[in-house]
Every structure is written in structure tokens, then in C-alpha cells.
């Protein structure tokens, strides 16, 4: 996707998402290394209003993540690229409260749009449209469980839509603030 097309898409998404920003239940920042690249995501989270299931002290909840991110290749090649991405991911979270702490496991599958299809010579995506999968775990804590720290393993690839489909894997640390 050409950068000007991506800029237009980002502007359209911003116009659509602007009302949601005020309604966002949390704001998160994810940072970490990947396959010879560093990534950073800024995420708005919109929570489901009720748990999907409740089991004794555990709850299965859902939320939607609206993400904007940046990746910087550093594979020791002169052809490293930086790329930006936007995406939407529905996430399921299984949480268990222990006093003031809330331990959780989570997973999700969503979509991403990239500004470039190459991050370095040997890592090509072929399409700007990608799928994103995540698995994570973490802890909510503090007054009203307003703070969160977690780790995630994420994968982005085009799911075999077009070859090559190198994809990229990365691990991130996620920090979030939840409105109470």
C-alpha cells in the first residue's frame, strides 16, 4: 500500500474512531523486539459491557483493540525499512481475581494494514493486508484495578493469501491504564 493511500486510510479510521477515543475503556502501550525488528503499539481498548461467562472467581470477558503501531527493521542490512500499521483485534480474556489482583490469560485474532510489504531483505509480507494473532498473560492491580502489566507473543502474516508469506513474530511488554 502506498504511503499516501495509507495516510488517507489512517485519516478515515481516525474520523471513524474519534468518537470511540472518548469512549475507550483503556489506553495501552506495547513495546518489544521481534524477528530482527522492534515494534511499538498504541492501543485503545473498548470493553464488552458484561462478562461473557462467569465461573466462581473467574470471568471470561471480551474487548476490542484499535491499534496503531510502528516497526523498525534492524537485520544488519542496508535495506531495512520502517513501517507503520493500524489494526483491529477482538480479544478474549480469562481473568481470576485474587484480592486486589486480577490475573489473566488472553488471545485474539484480528487484521492489520501495513504501509510497506518489506521490513528488511529477507522478511517480505507480499500484501499490505495482514492478520494478527496474539497470546498473552498479565496482571491488573491498583485502586480499582486501574493498572495493567502483561506480556504477549504476537504474529503478523497474510495467512497464505499471497507468497512470499514470511510474516513476523514478536514479544511485547504491555502497559495499560483502565478508566474506572
Amino acid at each position: 500500500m502506498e504511503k499516501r493511500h495509507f495516510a488517507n486510510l489512517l485519516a478515515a479510521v481516525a474520523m471513524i474512531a474519534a468518537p470511540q477515543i472518548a469512549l475507550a475503556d483503556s489506553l495501552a502501550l506495547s513495546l518489544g523486539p521481534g524477528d530482527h525488528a522492534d515494534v511499538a503499539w498504541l492501543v485503545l481498548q473498548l470493553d464488552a459491557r458484561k462478562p461473557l461467562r462467569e465461573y466462581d472467581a473467574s470471568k471470561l470477558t471480551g474487548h476490542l483493540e484499535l491499534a496503531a503501531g510502528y516497526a523498525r527493521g534492524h537485520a544488519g542490512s542496508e535495506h531495512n525499512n520502517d513501517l507503520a500499521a493500524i489494526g483491529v483485534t477482538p480479544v478474549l480474556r480469562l481473568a481470576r481475581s485474587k484480592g486486589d489482583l486480577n490475573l489473566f490469560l488472553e488471545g485474539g485474532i484480528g487484521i492489520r494494514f501495513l504501509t510497506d510489504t518489506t521490513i528488511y531483505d529477507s522478511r517480505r509480507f507480499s500484501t499490505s493486508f495482514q492478520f494478527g494473532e496474539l497470546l498473552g498473560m498479565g496482571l491488573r492491580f491498583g485502586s480499582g484495578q486501574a493498572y495493567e502489566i502483561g506480556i504477549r507473543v504476537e504474529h503478523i502474516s497474510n495467512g497464505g493469501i499471497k507468497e512470499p508469506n514470511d510474516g513476523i513474530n514478536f514479544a511485547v511488554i504491555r502497559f495499560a491504564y483502565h478508566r474506572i
Side-chain angles (χ1 to χ4, degrees), residues 6 10 28-30 40-44 66-70 84-87 112:
F6 184 79
L10 186 59
L29 176 65
S30 296
W41 293 104
L42 184 60
V43 180
L44 293 175
L66 307 171
Y70 174 80
I86 57 172
R112 303 278 188 273

Side-chain angles (χ1 to χ4, degrees), residues 7-40:
N8 290 338
L9 176 63
L10 186 59
V13 168
M15 287 174 38
I16 293 167
Q20 300 305 322
I21 292 170
L23 300 174
D25 296 299
S26 68
L27 178 65
L29 176 65
S30 296
L31 304 167
D35 296 326
H36 304 291
D38 294 322
V39 296

